[in-house]
Amino acid sequence: MRLPERGVTLERLTADHADALLAFERENRAYFAESIADRGDEFFENFAEILQARLAEQAAGECQFHVLVEPDGAVVGRVNLVDIEDGTAELGYRLAERATGRGLATAAVRAITRIAAKEYGLRQLTAGAALANIASWTVLERAGFHRVEARSEAGRTVEARPQVAYVLRLEEL
């Protein structure tokens, strides 16, 4: 799906994205670690195996992974729906530092909410944003999510950081 006026497409993740996705993760590792827990060295060392496992989860309908791709094939973002169960999923996204500030994250989140409802038959999405990541709060709120509570990401990542939780009922769209 082409995101109007953004110069990128939102594509379902495939094995063909492997090299560009790994480059995106490496180039932005320090930037991402400023607001979310670092993936750790093992992620990069075992990237091929991890990608295959994610693609298997996607094929099983447990998750849906998407990438934002520039015309030259470079990945500048990820937008994922994970833990799909009973019509709900958790939304996660990350954008390359060089791609921030132009509305791309908001456009991508809005697009994935439409896809979640129409293509995946989901009724509700949840999301979390670090307390310090006000830009992410703004993206979620502009896309129609409602703040519900603060929580900790303990158990989901190596490093627990407080988060603000959001929910979007897709029938509200």
Side-chain angles (χ1 to χ4, degrees):
M1 161 185 285
R2 179 157 297 285
L3 298 180
E5 301 158 11
R6 304 291 186 242
V8 301
T9 55
L10 178 65
E11 302 176 9
R12 190 165 183 251
L13 181 65
T14 69
D16 293 338
H17 295 114
D19 292 340
L21 181 58
L22 180 56
F24 161 80
E25 293 288 353
R26 282 187 175 140
E27 290 165 9
N28 292 283
R29 183 176 183 180
Y31 173 66
F32 294 148
E34 291 173 12
S35 59
I36 57 177
D38 183 63
R39 293 189 184 277
D41 292 339
E42 288 181 22
F43 173 83
F44 297 95
E45 293 164 4
N46 301 309
F47 180 78
E49 295 84 8
I50 291 169
L51 178 60
Q52 289 307 310
R54 296 299 177 263
L55 292 173
E57 289 175 318
Q58 182 168 264
E62 299 167 6
C63 302
Q64 295 295 334
F65 302 103
H66 303 81
V67 287
L68 295 165
V69 182
E70 292 183 317
D72 67 359
V75 169
V76 292
R78 299 181 71 158
V79 186
N80 302 321
L81 299 171
V82 299
D83 300 333
I84 296 173
E85 187 176 347
D86 296 327
T88 67
E90 183 166 350
L91 168 75
Y93 59 91
R94 50 179 59 199
L95 199 62
E97 183 174 21
R98 69 180 177 81
T100 61
R102 58 183 195 189
L104 183 56
T106 301
V109 169
R110 285 178 176 154
I112 203 67
T113 61
R114 290 188 301 273
I115 291 168
K118 292 179 180 162
E119 294 183 27
Y120 305 138
L122 299 177
R123 296 181 313 278
Q124 180 174 289
L125 299 179
T126 60
L131 284 177
N133 193 347
I134 295 171
S136 193
W137 297 8
T138 302
V139 167
L140 292 169
E141 291 168 7
R142 286 181 179 163
F145 282 77
H146 304 284
R147 184 177 176 159
V148 291
E149 66 182 333
R151 66 179 186 197
S152 170
E153 17 172 32
R156 289 191 49 91
T157 60
V158 175
E159 179 182 338
R161 295 184 187 191
Q163 289 194 333
V164 177
Y166 285 86
V167 66
L168 175 64
R169 287 174 183 68
L170 295 173
E171 60 269 7
E172 295 175 5
L173 298 178

